[in-house]
Amino acid sequence: MKIKATFKACSMTVFGAVLALGALSQPAAAAEWPTKDVHLIVPYSAGGNTDVLARRVADLLQRELKANVVVENRPGAGSTVATARLARGGRDADHTILMASPGHVIGPAIYPNLGYDAVEDFRFIDKLVDMPNVMVVPASSPYNTVGEFINAASGANPMTFSHPGIGSSIHMSGELFRTFTKLPMVAVPYQGSGAALPALLGGDVDVSFENMSTVLPHIKSGGLRALAVTSPERSPFLPDVPTIRETSGYGLDGFVTGVWNGIIAHKSFPDEGVDVLREALKKVKETPEFRGFAKEMGAAEPSTASGDEFKAFIVSEIERWRKVAEDAGIRN
Amino acid sequence: MEHLSEVLELILAWENFLAIAAGVSLGVVVGAIPGLTATMAVALALPFTFSMDPVTAILLLVGIYKGGMYGGSITAILIRTPGTPASACTLLDGYPLAQKGEAKKALKMSLYASVIADFISNLSLIFFAGYLAKIALNFGAPEFFWLICFSLTIIVSLSGSSILKGLMAAGLGITFSLVGLDPVFGSERLTFGSYNLMDSISFIPLLIGLFAIPEIISFYRKKCSPHIKIKASGASVSWAEMKGSFKSIIRGSFIGVIIGAIPGTGATAAAFISYSDARRRSPNRENFGKGEVEGVAAAEAGNNGVAGATLIPLLSLGIPGDVVTAIILGAFMVHGLTPGPVMFQENLPLIYALFIGIMVSSIVLLVVGNAAIKYFSKIADIPNEFLFPIVLTFCVFGSYAVNNDIFDVWLMFGFGALGYVFARNSIATAPFLIGFILGPMFEDNLRRSLLIGANDISIFFRGPITWFFIALTIGSILLTFKSWMPGNKKRESGSLTDKRYLENRKELLSPADK
């Protein structure tokens, strides 16, 4: 009996010890994420802005995580093909992250039956950069301010704006401007910024809401004139150019838009991974390499939105673009 | 020339020449592998250039681009699988030549035409960048519209013996090109609810399927009967052939230069326009599509003429005309340089150094190309029983690699079946391809013009460039009608039908194959 009791006590002790060890090892395991290569999905073709940013971030992240960060391009349907695949989860979902962009919040407004919920199916890890768009007119254009531009537009003189493709942030910025001002405006689609830019420089279209990094050289060389930036505050790259919401008297007070990039993951992504990644990305954003590159893209400072703030941003953006797309008649 | 010493200091570094050699070699290999395009290689090489000097970095990327432009033709000629979209046109005469046992001739001609066109393109970049850039800026949607109209008249001349079948094939190509989202309204067209089709049909799976798969099917169908074996031995290009094709190469090069200088058109269209122009003018036009070495020359001159010229809008205006130049623009920006008029004022030595490097890359292309021909020709030594399964593997891999998507592999097989049906029914594939490439450009520019002009059609007649292309279009149509008038013996000119290939093949079976 005694032996039996001793054995029981021993086994209970061992069991307890194992449990305790298990409990203790929990945080230890957390520090171990990643346990294998991390896959960073780029939902666009190689070579674009998002791709180049992703490759630079992967490089810096690799140093922080001490693990490989493999970049994979899965282009298609304005980033929604890759996002749909991420939403499906799968074996590597705990080590797969995606470089999201405005396509993530504009997609639900443009494409029917995405097959995923752009909010509930994901975890929003960290927003990296915010870049304004710039409202630009050709140098030959008679308009010098947003007010002059709005006053000149009428039913007999509808304004045309170029954009590099349906659902791009440049297109939607134009549509947002139309929604705010109720101006007669015609969207003219081009295949990419490379084709859209000559049309603007050559004066074929009246205006565009192009990305800062694309038009900044042309503003400096005098080919284009910046009327306003779309960010909430003026950009340090164009300190003399007002923001659109500074234009008083036209109901543009709430006009803020732009381009952003952030890291998202599948909803099943582990908490440990989220913590490790946020910590690592915080360090990445402080590196001079990242800051330098963000500046080239038109972001004066890296974004600070993380976690709930990032998620709240996504939710409000989806709602906003859905309304804009409905107003513009581009919702399927 | 007060900058001379500075220029020499910038360019005369061993890293630059290594970058050119490595870039061109990498480009040729990547270009030759179906599914891997020069664009992809340039994009993937970009991160490696961040730590390099700007001149070295740009030359590496330009080298890859130029190598890739040429490399695609190797597999197009040898195994009827275009390595890059731009080499699809080279295949029309390159592969029949290879079937006749003259693969070496086709490969060499393709290399020489590429190098000459590349050289002319570089010279145009150096001497006429300013003028060409101005033309490019005046090239709006209506001008584009007429350029595409003119290009579409090619369909008739590439239709082979039956214009009706050619037009049907072109119509089918246009129909496939409509799949995806409407460019203006964003509504779905012909997607049948499929998510994968929403982003339109990928070009590379279509190309691979259309050309390579029918060959594989016909090989296995005829496995018991004798099958022709490609030989890479045989004669090289003779001086007479070079002389005969020279005018086409020069014209093709300039067609490439003009198309390259206009943002957003692309090398594939340039190759087809050059090819059809050469065919129209050539005394050997009846032989086009059946293995005419001049056809190979014209197609390659057209697509390589684009390479240097795409840098014109980039360097002189700061506008990237295609994805590759957009990536190169990124490389400039990373090094704190902004291409455009300002760069010509502030960084003139750097631009001159780049020009020298780009000229050197043409010579490197000749050397690397010759080596590539020597090694890639060994493909032809592989017995067919082994070669075709390998080609099939590459077809699957290449289609998958474009978007990392298995859907594209199914698409490739689908187009393979279509290509086989075309071949069995003597329907030319070239009009299908042209319809697929030019159809969307036609629609985009038509609708764009109407949007810009507020539905006023006078925008289509707005200036000298539009009138120039209207005249060309009308001229081209009249010429076609003339050759189709009853009693004109040239009517039967140049069939491109695949059945003819098969017929040729029977005649060409060498005793060893029997």
Side-chain angles (χ1 to χ4, degrees):
Chain A
M1 279 300 282
K2 203 174 178 184
I3 296 171
K4 206 174 174 184
T6 314
F7 180 70
K8 198 176 172 185
C10 282
S11 50
M12 285 301 283
T13 315
V14 170
F15 183 57
V18 168
L19 269 187
L21 269 179
L24 277 176
S25 65
Q26 208 72 39
E32 274 171 22
W33 190 97
T35 52
K36 52 185 177 184
D37 290 353
V38 177
H39 292 260
L40 172 56
I41 311 284
V42 177
Y44 297 98
S45 307
N49 270 349
T50 305
D51 177 65
V52 176
L53 173 73
R55 285 175 195 280
R56 301 214 111 185
V57 168
D59 197 30
L60 297 169
L61 201 54
Q62 193 144 265
R63 282 186 229 162
E64 295 297 331
L65 295 178
K66 309 228 168 7
N68 288 329
V69 178
V70 187
V71 177
E72 285 175 32
N73 298 86
R74 286 176 187 269
S79 86
T80 55
V81 167
T83 313
R85 202 166 299 178
L86 180 72
R88 268 181 248 145
R91 210 157 41 95
D92 289 326
D94 58 344
H95 279 76
T96 305
I97 53 180
L98 185 139
M99 182 63 83
S101 64
H104 188 81
V105 287
I106 295 172
I110 304 273
Y111 302 102
N113 319 317
L114 277 183
Y116 63 83
D117 184 319
V119 178
E120 297 304 323
D121 288 344
F122 304 98
R123 296 200 73 170
F124 300 94
I125 297 174
D126 202 58
K127 194 151 153 239
L128 300 173
V129 279
D130 277 301
M131 283 98 38
N133 284 342
V134 190
M135 183 177 178
V136 276
V137 293
S140 57
S141 166
Y143 319 117
N144 290 301
T145 63
V146 179
E148 282 177 27
F149 179 86
I150 294 175
N151 290 336
S154 65
N157 179 29
M159 294 290 182
T160 50
F161 69 97
S162 57
H163 67 79
I166 294 261
S168 59
S169 86
I170 297 163
H171 174 211
M172 296 309 277
S173 299
E175 296 292 359
L176 187 69
F177 191 78
R178 168 156 64 183
T179 311
F180 265 82
T181 56
K182 309 274 186 296
L183 283 184
M185 288 179 80
V186 180
V188 185
Y190 285 84
Q191 296 284 335
S193 277
L197 209 49
L200 188 65
L201 283 166
D204 263 355
V205 290
D206 297 311
V207 69
S208 183
F209 297 80
E210 265 285 354
N211 295 154
M212 173 74 88
S213 61
T214 311
V215 288
L216 197 55
H218 299 285
I219 295 169
K220 288 195 172 149
S221 70
L224 296 174
R225 184 160 58 246
L227 298 189
V229 289
T230 64
S231 46
E233 307 298 334
R234 289 190 181 202
S235 163
F237 301 108
L238 294 168
D240 300 330
V241 176
T243 64
I244 289 188
R245 62 179 199 166
E246 277 177 47
T247 312
S248 54
Y250 298 96
L252 286 164
D253 305 346
F255 190 101
V256 174
T257 182
V259 195
W260 54 269
N261 284 107
I263 301 281
I264 64 169
H266 186 251
K267 62 181 173 195
S268 70
F269 199 79
D271 289 338
E272 310 90 85
V274 173
D275 294 340
V276 170
L277 269 175
R278 278 195 190 138
E279 196 53 39
L281 287 169
K282 200 175 159 193
K283 287 182 189 153
V284 164
K285 285 196 268 189
E286 281 162 10
T287 57
E289 290 106 311
F290 184 87
R291 286 178 166 266
F293 182 65
K295 281 209 173 80
E296 279 159 28
M297 289 179 71
E301 288 292 321
S303 169
T304 50
S306 200
D308 291 341
E309 200 184 332
F310 187 16
K311 188 174 174 179
F313 167 78
I314 297 278
V315 172
S316 71
E317 284 285 286
I318 290 175
E319 196 42 44
R320 161 158 93 151
W321 294 125
R322 189 165 278 157
K323 278 193 198 129
V324 172
E326 268 167 20
D327 282 354
I330 43 174
R331 180 149 166 76
N332 275 285
Chain B
M1 273 288 107
E2 74 263 36
H3 298 300
L4 188 64
S5 63
E6 222 175 318
V7 173
L8 291 177
E9 201 178 313
L10 276 171
I11 189 69
L12 290 178
W14 63 270
E15 294 97 338
N16 293 337
F17 297 98
L18 184 71
I20 295 171
V24 173
S25 312
L26 185 70
V28 170
V29 174
V30 168
I33 298 173
L36 296 188
T37 60
T39 314
M40 249 184 247
V42 173
L44 296 178
L46 179 66
F48 296 99
T49 64
F50 292 154
S51 56
M52 297 176 184
D53 280 339
V55 175
T56 319
I58 307 294
L59 288 178
L60 176 76
L61 299 179
V62 171
I64 297 176
Y65 180 38
K66 292 190 167 203
M69 277 284 191
Y70 163 70
S73 69
I74 300 176
T75 32
I77 292 169
L78 286 175
I79 53 175
R80 205 171 188 239
T81 311
T84 55
S87 58
C89 188
T90 312
L91 174 156
L92 297 177
D93 278 287
Y95 188 69
L97 269 172
Q99 284 182 317
K100 287 186 201 167
E102 293 181 305
K104 191 173 177 187
K105 183 177 285 178
L107 287 167
K108 289 273 181 186
M109 181 52 102
S110 138
L111 177 65
Y112 298 150
S114 296
V115 171
I116 295 171
D118 195 47
F119 210 72
I120 290 176
S121 195
N122 293 339
L123 289 176
S124 312
L125 165 69
I126 295 170
F127 294 110
F128 307 118
Y131 303 106
L132 285 167
K134 266 189 204 135
I135 296 176
L137 265 195
N138 286 320
F139 224 89
E143 289 77 15
F144 246 117
F145 172 79
W146 286 111
L147 169 69
I148 304 298
C149 282
F150 166 63
S151 310
L152 280 171
T153 60
I154 301 169
I155 288 177
V156 177
S157 62
L158 295 185
S159 287
S161 52
S162 164
I163 279 217
L164 191 68
K165 281 181 182 173
L167 290 177
M168 266 167 50
L172 201 61
I174 292 172
T175 311
F176 276 111
S177 77
L178 293 177
V179 174
L181 295 183
D182 179 282
V184 176
F185 299 109
S187 48
E188 286 180 68
R189 291 196 305 209
L190 302 173
T191 58
F192 304 101
S194 161
Y195 206 74
N196 291 300
L197 288 174
M198 227 187 272
D199 209 30
S200 69
I201 290 172
S202 306
F203 193 31
I204 290 175
L206 177 139
L207 270 183
I208 296 178
L210 211 56
F211 288 111
I213 296 295
E215 280 301 294
I216 298 170
I217 298 175
S218 81
F219 170 72
Y220 283 107
R221 274 189 59 128
K222 296 182 181 176
K223 202 167 183 324
C224 304
S225 62
H227 199 86
I228 197 151
K229 178 80 192 98
I230 302 288
K231 285 191 195 62
S233 50
S236 184
V237 181
S238 70
W239 179 238
E241 281 162 338
M242 197 65 210
K243 226 170 121 187
S245 308
F246 197 68
K247 275 186 187 163
S248 289
I249 294 177
I250 301 296
R251 262 198 306 270
S253 305
F254 281 107
I255 290 171
V257 167
I258 292 165
I259 301 258
I262 304 167
T265 326
T268 317
F272 275 105
I273 294 174
S274 162
Y275 179 85
S276 104
D277 176 71
R279 186 189 163 279
R280 205 172 285 168
R281 291 169 194 265
S282 171
N284 303 331
R285 72 175 76 160
E286 293 183 24
N287 203 28
F288 270 64
K290 295 186 228 165
E292 171 57 48
V293 77
E294 193 180 345
V296 174
E300 276 301 300
N303 83 40
N304 282 275
V306 168
T310 46
L311 295 173
I312 292 175
L314 179 69
L315 290 180
S316 54
L317 303 171
I319 298 171
D322 57 8
V323 184
V324 173
T325 39
I327 300 168
I328 295 176
L329 173 67
F332 272 111
M333 307 278 255
V334 163
H335 291 100
L337 297 163
T338 311
V342 183
M343 200 163 95
F344 274 85
Q345 290 156 15
E346 292 176 358
N347 305 87
L348 203 58
L350 183 124
I351 291 185
Y352 282 141
L354 278 180
F355 283 166
I356 296 173
I358 288 169
M359 293 304 285
V360 172
S361 72
S362 293
I363 301 160
V364 172
L365 180 63
L366 184 65
V367 178
V368 173
N370 261 318
I373 289 176
K374 207 169 141 197
Y375 290 105
F376 273 100
S377 296
K378 302 217 185 299
I379 292 174
D381 298 336
I382 304 170
N384 276 347
E385 306 82 274
F386 296 113
L387 180 62
F388 278 96
I390 296 171
V391 172
L392 186 61
T393 313
F394 266 106
C395 292
V396 172
F397 161 77
S399 307
Y400 182 79
V402 184
N403 289 330
N404 290 333
D405 197 335
I406 198 75
F407 178 78
D408 284 336
V409 177
W410 298 123
L411 213 58
M412 183 268 295
F413 281 118
F415 282 107
L418 184 73
Y420 188 70
V421 172
F422 272 27
R424 297 284 292 180
N425 294 289
S426 316
I427 301 170
T429 37
F432 177 87
L433 214 54
I434 293 171
F436 187 81
I437 299 167
L438 298 182
M441 290 186 176
F442 178 85
E443 187 204 349
D444 284 355
N445 287 296
L446 174 69
R447 294 177 71 177
R448 212 171 275 155
S449 305
L450 290 171
L451 285 171
I452 292 170
N455 291 328
D456 181 357
I457 58 162
S458 66
I459 194 166
F460 291 108
F461 311 98
R462 70 174 180 182
I465 305 179
T466 53
W467 284 110
F468 175 73
F469 283 106
I470 292 170
L472 277 185
T473 310
I474 295 172
S476 172
I477 294 170
L478 287 179
L479 272 177
T480 313
F481 271 115
K482 206 176 141 201
S483 69
W484 275 79
M485 291 294 271
N488 193 329
K489 282 182 183 170
K490 284 181 178 171
R491 205 183 110 126
E492 259 290 304
S493 57
S495 159
L496 284 167
T497 55
D498 297 47
K499 200 166 183 179
R500 285 275 181 94
Y501 294 160
L502 299 175
E503 283 164 10
N504 280 345
R505 204 185 263 181
K506 276 181 206 148
E507 295 159 16
L508 289 163
L509 283 177
S510 65
D513 290 317
K514 285 176 182 168

